[in-house]
Amino acid sequence: MTQVFPARTAGNGLSTVDIPVAGDPSGAQARALVGLLRADRPPGVRSWVTGAAAEFEDVLDQLERDLPLAIGVSVLAMLVLLFLMTGSVVIPSKALVMNLVSTGATFGIMVAIFQNGLLAGPLGLLHVAGLSPFNLAVVFAFAFGLSMDYEVFLLSRIKERHDAGMPNDVAVRDGLRRTGRITTSAAACMLIVFCCFVLSSISDIQQIGLGLVLAVLIDATIVRCLLVPAAMTLLGRRNWWAPGWLRSVRRRIGLHEEPDIPASEDEPPTRRSVRRRAAWAGRGGWRASGWPR
């Protein structure tokens, strides 16, 4: 603190006192002063402490108070909805772990760029002393929702093929192949929009934009195309495990979808594809793979 300016009249019965602080207006010294002023208010007078440091403290207090509840509700809703869709408790748990991996990688890269200055110059980004907690909360909320979209795209097709009798490995492979185009197209559209945020000259907008770019890019490539299929392949039949009482609940109130699997991979049945499938059936292919007649 350098000095305390005299009080100035700001309205009827209202006065302001400016107390400039050396260094970062939202730094540790300024925030410590906010705490001291709020703890030692003049008696008999209503007073408020404002400014960048006070607003920063208010944001932190609100995040500490409400963020755990918001995360808990989001996670619980994700687990319940994925269970009702898949009938498994393993797949929702695996999806939560994959979302945490994607989010953690995103935050790590954001810290390296904005806080440590890694590649900030070549990328034309503003190097700041730290990341805004509000920006991190926004990135987490959007990234969590977008990653769930990709998860549902992929799992719905895998579950459809598993219910049709395909082995687990074949269902995972075919589900990944069928959702690859739509996942790539959706990710490309969002990347174009979020890259425009990165071109901003405002640090907060840059942080949110780059965070969402990283979240979408990591989730649509490394997580959905590599980690999720690999994990589901390794787990095998354990992917679809659930306690008996939960399976009973899911049979009554679960989310069910009628399978719509064409005879060939991409087109309606043709005479050639019917002959090929009939020849495969003659070799015992249906019995070996569990494909329904």
Side-chain angles (χ1 to χ4, degrees):
M1 181 175 63
T2 56
Q3 59 180 322
V4 178
F5 287 96
R8 295 180 302 166
T9 301
N12 186 17
L14 180 64
S15 299
T16 61
V17 177
D18 293 332
I19 308 176
V21 179
D24 186 359
S26 300
Q29 184 176 355
R31 290 159 52 195
L33 178 60
V34 170
L36 292 175
L37 293 174
R38 287 178 170 174
D40 187 18
R41 298 178 183 272
V45 179
R46 297 183 63 189
S47 62
W48 300 268
V49 181
T50 63
E55 294 175 359
F56 190 78
E57 282 292 305
D58 292 339
V59 170
L60 285 180
D61 291 341
Q62 188 170 4
L63 288 176
E64 291 178 359
R65 183 180 66 250
D66 299 335
L67 188 59
L69 176 60
I71 293 177
V73 171
S74 301
V75 169
L76 180 62
M78 182 203 74
L79 295 176
V80 170
L81 290 176
L82 285 183
F83 167 74
L84 293 178
M85 185 185 80
T86 63
S88 166
V89 297
V90 177
I91 289 179
S93 301
K94 182 266 305 171
L96 177 60
V97 172
M98 294 300 170
N99 285 353
L100 293 178
V101 170
S102 176
T103 305
T106 299
F107 287 168
I109 298 175
M110 290 178 66
V111 169
I113 293 176
F114 288 104
Q115 184 167 315
N116 300 333
L118 179 65
L119 298 178
L123 294 176
L125 302 174
L126 298 176
H127 179 201
V128 295
L131 293 170
S132 169
F134 175 78
N135 295 341
L136 294 178
V138 171
V139 171
F140 173 80
F142 278 94
F144 191 86
L146 293 175
S147 65
M148 280 306 303
D149 284 345
Y150 298 142
E151 188 79 20
V152 170
F153 287 160
L154 179 58
L155 289 179
S156 61
R157 299 285 75 82
I158 294 176
K159 181 67 166 59
E160 180 182 71
R161 275 130 187 85
H162 178 267
D163 290 346
M166 285 187 178
N168 180 80
D169 295 357
V170 178
V172 172
R173 184 169 61 248
D174 196 62
L176 179 63
R177 181 185 62 82
R178 287 188 172 273
T179 57
R181 294 178 182 177
I182 187 172
T183 300
T184 303
S185 300
C189 292
M190 287 184 286
L191 286 175
I192 293 173
V193 175
F194 296 148
C195 282
C196 295
F197 293 0
V198 181
L199 299 177
S200 172
S201 58
I202 302 174
S203 176
D204 288 344
I205 302 300
Q206 285 185 352
Q207 290 182 19
I208 294 175
L210 183 63
L212 294 177
V213 166
L214 293 171
V216 171
L217 192 61
I218 293 172
D219 196 82
T221 55
I222 299 175
V223 174
R224 300 300 154 212
C225 295
L226 180 61
L227 296 182
V228 170
M232 294 192 69
T233 300
L234 291 174
L235 288 171
R237 293 183 178 180
R238 291 184 292 272
N239 283 307
W240 314 102
W241 179 85
W245 66 274
L246 281 179
R247 289 198 297 268
S248 301
V249 172
R250 198 251 174 184
R251 281 193 293 267
R252 291 195 297 269
I253 62 174
L255 303 175
H256 302 279
E257 181 181 11
E258 291 296 330
D260 183 16
I261 304 177
S264 65
E265 292 184 347
D266 295 309
E267 299 176 357
T270 61
R271 182 175 301 174
R272 181 179 178 184
S273 66
V274 170
R275 285 200 303 268
R276 183 168 59 248
R277 192 171 294 269
W280 183 45
R283 294 193 300 268
W286 276 317
R287 291 189 297 274
S289 66
W291 185 272
R293 293 181 181 270

